[in-house]
Amino acid sequence: MKNAKVIIVGGGLAGLMAAMKIAEKQVKVDLISLVPVKRSHSVCAQGGINAALNTKGEDDSTWQHFDDTIYGGDFLANQSPVKNMCEAAPGIIYAMERMGVMFNRTPEGLMDLRLFGGVKKRRTAFAGATTGQQLLYTCDEQVRRLEDLDFVKKYEGWEFIEAIIDEAGICRGCIAQNLASMEIKEFLGDALIIATGGAGMVYGKSTNSTINTGSAASIVYQQGAYYANAEFVQIHPTSMLGDDKNRLMSESARGDGGRIWTYKNGKPWYFLEEMYPAYGNLVPRDIASRAIYQVCVEMGLGIDGKNQVYLDLTHLPEEYLNKRLGGIIDIYQNFYGDNPKKVPMKIFPAIHYFMGGIHVNSNHMTCIPGLFAAGECDYMYHGANRLGANSLLSALYSGTVVGPAAVNYINSLDSLAAEKGQKSGAQGVKHQQEIHNKITKMHGTENPYALHAEMGEEMTQNVFIVRHNKNLAENDQKLQEYLKRWENINMLDNNSYSNQTIMYVRQLKNMMELARVITLGALRRNESRGSHYKPEFPERDDENFLKTTLAAWRPNGPQFSWEDVDTSIIKPRKRQYSKPKEV
Amino acid sequence: MPAYIHLKIKRQNEPNAKPYWQEFKIPYNPNMNVVSALMVIRQNPVEISGKVVDPVVWECNCLEEVCGACTMLINGMPRQACSALIDNIFKEKGSEKPIILEPLSKFPTIRDLMVDRKVMFDNLKKVKAWIPVDGTWDYGSGLRISEETQQLVYPISRCMTCGACMEACPNVNKKSKFIGPSSIAQVRLLNAHPIGAMHKKMRLKALIQKGGIHECGNAQNCKRVCPKNINLTRHIAYMNREVNSYALRQFLEED
Ligand SMILES: Cc1cc2nc3c(=O)[nH]c(=O)nc-3n(C[C@H](O)[C@H](O)[C@H](O)COP(=O)(O)OP(=O)(O)OC[C@H]3O[C@@H](n4cnc5c(N)ncnc54)[C@H](O)[C@@H]3O)c2cc1C
């Protein structure tokens, strides 16, 4: 349709890929992002991106990638979309290569591949230990070119605060606020794509960037989209705990030969290798995290009596490490002081990734027509546990799906937002201006930062590696109290220009709403599956819980329902990593 | 162990307002960095005099020195605040002297320590730092790149567009349009790629426009401040040779 426009919120891999695909179809894009898109969180990804390129003489195939992903996700992911993703993966990587990503090379000049968790074949393409950075920069370059060609208009330094939904229930764009001038403005568009990434800040500290609040996803959930499988939160086994954030030490460290150990009876104990002989240090993340937790918290065998074990690279040749893991070695050394080439790193599990997210259909559209979601903020590809190096893939892949799907959707419309969205847009601006004015006048006694820290600690205490129903129920009580205390916040900043506290206070409320979905979703799921582990219910229970959790926002709290999982291709089987996986 | 961290921060309420200084003392903890110190101030913004003030505004995101957002002047040096560990600063300068934080001076200030680095992204546009592919679709494998080339240019691909090199370069100033060291290095990265190389000329041409490579005065500050240790001076020297031979060829062909 002529003069149609798509609004994309988020310029990480998913949003940028969607923008490219839409521009290729000659449709214009407004791209809204909190930060210059080149600083999006995708920049943090270290280890690599999966695709069965089969260039290592190991008989790899997209089918095996598919089976590993489904098995790794404990059979909770819908199978058809995952299969499509695995089949598209090699093409995506080759396109990224053409666009300029400097992947590591073999002596023949082919892309090199490394081993990752939960798999037996080398399938992970990488650019040193800064793969996300290189992928993001390459997409950023392409989108800059599209900007130069007038297909894309970027609005960096704007925060999405509301979707525009007209009287007929159709999404017509969004309302966003400028982070410097604080102007609130409507962005009318015929489709709205939310590509806003993960929500680590809900837990206060995580491996995520500080902008990963999940606020945008929470907003569309509160406006009527379903939020799915919130309880599945990935806890990465190897991170360096810090006061300001937990810094990731990529799985590639183990993929390239790193070993995990602690002392038992005065001798090094390589417990993962002992417990899971078939996969050793490369068991999936949920399993490794539980083992480390068990060794430290339950057996009290952490190094120096603390919650930490060693991740050891010291046996590997220095040049090999420099070439392949330089990026993360720098991070450890810069922030911790020790040189991982000489001294084993001290690590512990930390909140890392959200398998759950905004519920979408196979076209990445939510139940609200015109409202789409892609990237880490959707729920589609990872089931109950994500395999390492699969989320850069799902972010890019979902961008390739959502872009064309949004254009197709627009072609089916009989009128455009420019005429149909105006009224709702103006109402939205007015409504948000009122909220803004209300927040600026909040002069209660609660410190927003302290309140956030408190919530983060409770979440990390109660909705972490090991979950108990009693704690989950109590946690929800606490969250309801926090929501009340939020009303009594003190807006610390009185400057009306570039006021970060106002935005933070907005985000905090949205994080609380999302935290409730995570907590109550976990409470309802009385089984253990993937990252969700309850000692009271230690087994997977397909009969009752081979289902997607759906949450709908209600004023008193989330209302839950279940949806069947597409298991049409691979029959669910028991997931165990002590033995080789039969395909 | 020092009891507190003393910070002296240059503040500015909005783009055209007058800057002013404020000082803060916060409790010391081991392993802190400048961002975590700023977070403490943000939570409880009380000046050294006891006066409650507006929280300090700054930019940060990844907190692991890959996004480039939190670049500022720390004791006069442009660097990322997240990787500026307080303990290291104390080791170098002692804990008595205040740590001085200022916004980068070569970019317009938005508020306090936050600046607008849009010009750097515009410079990337000027040098056409992209590869003009036919499309994003899949047409199979094909590229070969030698390990040697990859290892040579991979470090350039880690440039975070953080602005440290622009800040340190004497030739980037109010009077000049110099695109700065980082954009020049990006040209080398893109020209080294097999498809990028097909479009070499458009980038070389861009490098001889106003504000181009000839405005480098070889002060070599850029290399010293680059947080990713990119050998910027070497890449600029290489591009200089490329540009010269391009210009010469242009001259001969046009004659
Ligand atoms: C430390 C670390 C290492 C990782 N390593 C790997 C790896 O090796 N391999 C792998 O496959 N995966 C890895 N991951 C996961 C992977 O990086 C992410 O899942 C993926 O990059 C997410 O991409 P995205 O496009 O969905 O979102 P992001 O890259 O997070 O982008 C989100 C975008 O949305 C914008 N945004 C957010 N909220 C708003 C709002 N309200 N208004 C406007 N804009 C908004 C942001 O500005 C940003 O542009 C890693 C993750 C972490 C934390």
Side-chain angles (χ1 to χ4, degrees):
Chain A
M1 211 184 261
K2 240 183 110 204
N3 299 325
K5 189 194 268 176
V6 178
I7 314 289
I8 301 178
V9 182
L13 288 178
L16 293 177
M17 181 52 98
M20 286 184 242
K21 290 286 177 188
I22 292 165
E24 255 165 26
K25 303 223 179 262
Q26 315 291 313
V27 174
K28 300 225 164 171
V29 173
D30 278 354
L31 180 55
I32 299 174
S33 170
L34 288 169
V35 294
V37 296
K38 199 172 177 179
R39 306 197 198 289
S40 295
H41 170 70
S42 290
V43 85
C44 290
Q46 304 169 347
I49 176 165
N50 288 337
L53 302 182
N54 189 30
T55 52
K56 289 284 180 190
E58 294 177 331
D59 263 335
D60 198 12
S61 64
T62 57
W63 177 269
Q64 289 180 59
H65 184 187
F66 169 49
D67 189 74
D68 284 343
T69 302
I70 293 296
Y71 188 84
D74 228 346
F75 292 89
L76 198 64
N78 290 317
Q79 295 184 358
S80 308
V82 174
K83 183 160 179 283
N84 293 340
M85 172 178 83
C86 296
E87 284 167 359
I92 289 174
I93 307 285
Y94 289 133
M96 295 308 299
E97 180 189 43
R98 290 194 338 259
M99 289 189 255
V101 177
M102 278 296 161
F103 289 109
N104 277 52
R105 297 282 150 180
T106 67
E108 257 188 62
L110 293 174
M111 253 184 269
D112 201 359
L113 298 173
R114 64 161 49 120
L115 200 57
F116 243 70
V119 307
K120 286 291 192 191
K121 304 279 163 80
R122 279 173 288 177
R123 188 184 290 148
T124 306
F126 61 103
T130 61
T131 313
Q133 184 178 38
Q134 312 324 320
L135 291 169
L136 183 72
Y137 289 0
T138 292
C139 292
D140 173 67
E141 288 159 7
Q142 291 297 321
V143 170
R144 187 163 297 108
R145 175 174 168 234
L146 295 170
E147 205 184 3
D148 203 44
L149 294 169
D150 261 348
F151 274 110
V152 175
K153 196 162 161 46
K154 278 192 206 147
Y155 292 85
E156 294 169 323
W158 287 79
E159 179 158 342
F160 163 83
I161 48 177
E162 185 181 317
I164 300 173
I165 298 171
D166 71 9
E167 295 98 342
I170 297 178
C171 179
R172 303 287 190 179
C174 74
I175 314 287
Q177 184 161 16
N178 185 289
L179 301 177
S181 69
M182 310 307 283
E183 176 196 358
I184 294 175
K185 177 174 142 64
E186 75 268 46
F187 289 82
L188 295 182
D190 304 292
L192 173 67
I193 299 175
I194 303 293
T196 49
M201 293 299 279
V202 169
Y203 281 82
K205 279 191 290 182
S206 73
T207 62
N208 288 191
S209 297
T210 54
I211 54 169
N212 289 19
T213 60
S215 185
S218 176
I219 289 168
V220 296
Y221 153 69
Q222 292 171 64
Q223 287 192 273
Y226 288 105
Y227 201 87
N229 285 343
E231 64 272 30
F232 292 98
V233 179
Q234 178 159 81
I235 294 155
H236 196 294
T238 62
S239 84
M240 194 185 137
L241 303 191
D243 291 332
D244 50 343
K245 93 168 272 187
N246 300 326
R247 295 181 175 85
L248 181 77
M249 287 298 121
S250 167
E251 189 168 289
S252 54
R254 282 170 289 138
D256 284 350
R259 300 174 75 188
I260 288 192
W261 61 275
T262 189
Y263 286 104
K264 190 166 120 183
N265 306 325
K267 276 196 284 229
W269 180 34
Y270 296 90
F271 52 92
L272 286 175
E273 296 170 31
E274 188 180 301
M275 294 173 185
Y276 300 98
Y279 287 80
N281 291 294
L282 284 174
V283 285
R285 294 172 179 178
D286 56 324
I287 305 217
S289 289
R290 274 199 292 282
I292 295 171
Y293 188 87
Q294 187 192 349
V295 163
C296 293
V297 180
E298 288 160 20
M299 302 169 74
L301 291 177
I303 303 287
D304 302 331
K306 297 192 188 141
N307 278 345
Q308 53 187 17
V309 295
Y310 284 135
L311 168 58
D312 195 348
L313 300 172
T314 57
H315 55 289
L316 298 165
E318 178 150 348
E319 207 205 302
Y320 172 87
L321 289 175
N322 289 342
K323 223 194 259 183
R324 301 168 70 101
L325 296 172
I328 61 164
I329 289 173
D330 286 352
I331 291 178
Y332 194 84
Q333 194 156 12
N334 285 345
F335 288 93
Y336 203 83
D338 287 346
N339 178 356
K341 291 180 263 184
K342 304 268 181 316
V343 192
M345 298 182 271
K346 292 179 190 141
I347 54 89
F348 194 71
I351 295 291
H352 180 58
Y353 182 88
F354 293 76
M355 274 74 73
I358 303 166
H359 185 261
V360 290
N361 63 18
S362 57
N363 288 322
H364 280 266
M365 190 156 88
T366 64
C367 60
I368 299 169
L371 177 62
F372 296 76
E376 186 169 338
C377 70
D378 77 38
Y379 88 112
M380 190 66 104
Y381 299 95
H382 309 291
N385 168 64
R386 167 175 76 85
L387 289 187
N390 257 355
S391 66
L392 290 176
L393 175 62
S394 63
L396 284 171
Y397 174 70
S398 60
T400 71
V401 176
V402 76
V407 173
N408 279 346
Y409 161 81
I410 290 174
N411 288 336
S412 75
L413 288 174
D414 29 67
S415 55
L416 289 183
E419 71 188 80
K420 283 292 166 87
Q422 297 222 356
K423 198 171 138 214
S424 319
Q427 278 167 356
V429 170
K430 192 163 160 271
H431 173 227
Q432 285 301 332
Q433 193 65 53
E434 284 162 13
I435 295 181
H436 176 82
N437 296 345
K438 188 186 139 201
I439 295 178
T440 52
K441 294 197 193 80
M442 289 175 92
H443 291 296
T445 52
E446 292 285 348
N447 185 304
Y449 298 98
L451 187 58
H452 180 199
E454 196 179 325
M455 172 175 89
E457 275 161 33
E458 285 300 326
M459 286 296 288
T460 309
Q461 193 66 39
N462 298 321
V463 202
F464 199 54
I465 298 177
V466 177
R467 297 164 173 190
H468 301 277
N469 281 348
K470 186 171 153 281
N471 300 354
L472 293 169
E474 282 170 13
N475 196 67
D476 186 57
Q477 290 301 319
K478 288 249 169 68
L479 290 169
Q480 294 183 47
E481 275 166 36
Y482 296 149
L483 276 162
K484 284 208 196 85
R485 284 168 60 188
W486 182 90
E487 302 288 338
N488 186 32
I489 267 178
N490 178 18
M491 255 302 308
L492 303 159
D493 192 349
N494 298 306
N495 187 339
S496 57
Y497 195 83
S498 188
N499 187 317
Q500 296 177 328
T501 317
I502 293 180
M503 303 320 283
Y504 185 83
V505 167
R506 276 179 180 272
Q507 293 158 4
L508 182 58
K509 178 141 191 222
N510 295 328
M511 287 192 260
M512 290 173 176
E513 293 284 352
L514 208 55
R516 289 201 72 192
V517 186
I518 297 170
T519 306
L520 292 174
L523 180 61
R524 283 168 51 90
R525 189 174 278 278
N526 282 329
E527 64 161 350
S528 293
R529 180 189 298 271
S531 66
H532 173 73
Y533 173 66
K534 282 188 180 173
E536 295 156 89
F537 306 93
E539 297 298 321
R540 188 174 94 192
D541 175 358
D542 282 353
E543 203 170 313
N544 293 305
F545 295 106
L546 180 48
K547 292 201 171 72
T548 300
T549 307
L550 293 184
W553 185 83
R554 296 288 178 272
N556 304 328
Q559 189 182 71
F560 285 96
S561 56
W562 301 112
E563 186 187 67
D564 284 337
V565 177
D566 164 10
T567 55
S568 59
I569 311 171
I570 303 172
K571 199 166 151 270
R573 60 190 194 274
K574 191 172 157 72
R575 174 188 191 246
Q576 49 185 353
Y577 285 93
S578 49
K579 290 193 211 141
K581 173 174 75 95
E582 74 274 20
V583 179
Chain B
M1 208 169 70
Y4 54 79
I5 303 167
H6 182 175
L7 295 122
K8 189 172 165 189
I9 302 176
K10 191 176 184 183
R11 307 202 54 178
Q12 182 173 331
N13 290 350
E14 53 180 60
N16 296 317
K18 240 181 91 182
Y20 56 96
W21 291 87
Q22 277 179 347
E23 296 186 38
F24 300 86
K25 273 189 180 177
I26 59 165
Y28 168 86
N29 272 309
N31 290 326
M32 284 180 79
N33 56 56
V34 168
V35 168
S36 62
L38 285 168
M39 284 173 168
V40 174
I41 296 176
R42 173 175 78 174
Q43 185 165 338
N44 187 17
V46 182
E47 217 199 337
I48 225 165
S49 64
K51 195 172 132 212
V52 178
V53 296
D54 285 340
V56 180
V57 166
W58 81 99
E59 237 184 314
C60 72
N61 191 12
C62 76
L63 306 190
E64 46 196 50
E65 207 194 66
V66 281
C67 79
C70 66
T71 316
M72 57 182 72
L73 289 170
I74 300 174
N75 288 333
M77 281 289 284
R79 57 185 298 194
Q80 280 69 55
C82 68
S83 56
L85 304 192
I86 302 290
D87 291 333
N88 290 350
I89 296 174
F90 282 177
K91 244 180 253 160
E92 279 163 36
K93 306 250 167 184
S95 60
E96 298 305 311
K97 287 200 204 102
I99 299 172
I100 298 173
L101 306 183
E102 298 165 82
L104 295 175
S105 68
K106 302 279 173 84
F107 306 91
T109 301
I110 295 175
R111 185 179 163 187
D112 296 342
L113 301 170
M114 188 169 174
V115 297
D116 181 357
R117 281 168 281 185
K118 184 168 173 293
V119 65
M120 294 194 74
F121 301 115
D122 291 342
N123 289 340
L124 290 174
K125 237 184 235 172
K126 281 191 190 151
V127 300
K128 302 191 189 304
W130 53 68
I131 292 179
V133 290
D134 291 350
T136 54
W137 46 84
D138 170 21
Y139 40 81
S141 63
L143 285 194
R144 301 263 172 150
I145 299 175
S146 72
E147 254 190 303
E148 197 187 331
T149 304
Q150 193 270 347
Q151 288 293 314
L152 182 74
V153 298
Y154 165 72
I156 311 175
S157 73
R158 294 180 67 195
C159 166
M160 309 180 283
T161 329
C162 73
C165 60
M166 298 282 280
E167 180 71 22
C169 175
N171 292 24
V172 173
N173 56 50
K174 286 212 173 67
K175 283 184 222 123
S176 95
K177 292 251 177 264
F178 184 37
I179 55 170
S182 56
S183 335
I184 299 172
Q186 288 302 305
V187 173
R188 183 166 197 197
L189 169 66
L190 288 149
N191 284 5
H193 183 275
I195 301 175
M198 297 174 188
H199 309 270
K200 238 180 182 165
K201 282 190 193 155
M202 79 177 179
R203 292 183 211 99
L204 294 175
K205 192 168 153 203
L207 283 186
I208 50 178
Q209 306 298 308
K210 193 163 189 295
I213 192 166
H214 49 278
E215 300 206 13
C216 164
N218 201 21
Q220 313 219 354
N221 291 358
C222 52
K223 185 185 158 186
R224 280 192 284 273
V225 297
C226 176
K228 295 290 143 186
N229 299 319
I230 303 172
N231 199 333
L232 289 161
T233 48
R234 202 176 76 184
H235 298 312
I236 294 174
Y238 177 86
M239 288 319 302
N240 228 337
R241 288 196 297 278
E242 289 276 287
V243 161
N244 287 338
S245 80
Y246 163 77
L248 184 66
R249 260 181 288 129
Q250 281 306 92
F251 174 75
L252 295 176
E253 276 164 28
E254 270 166 28
D255 246 284

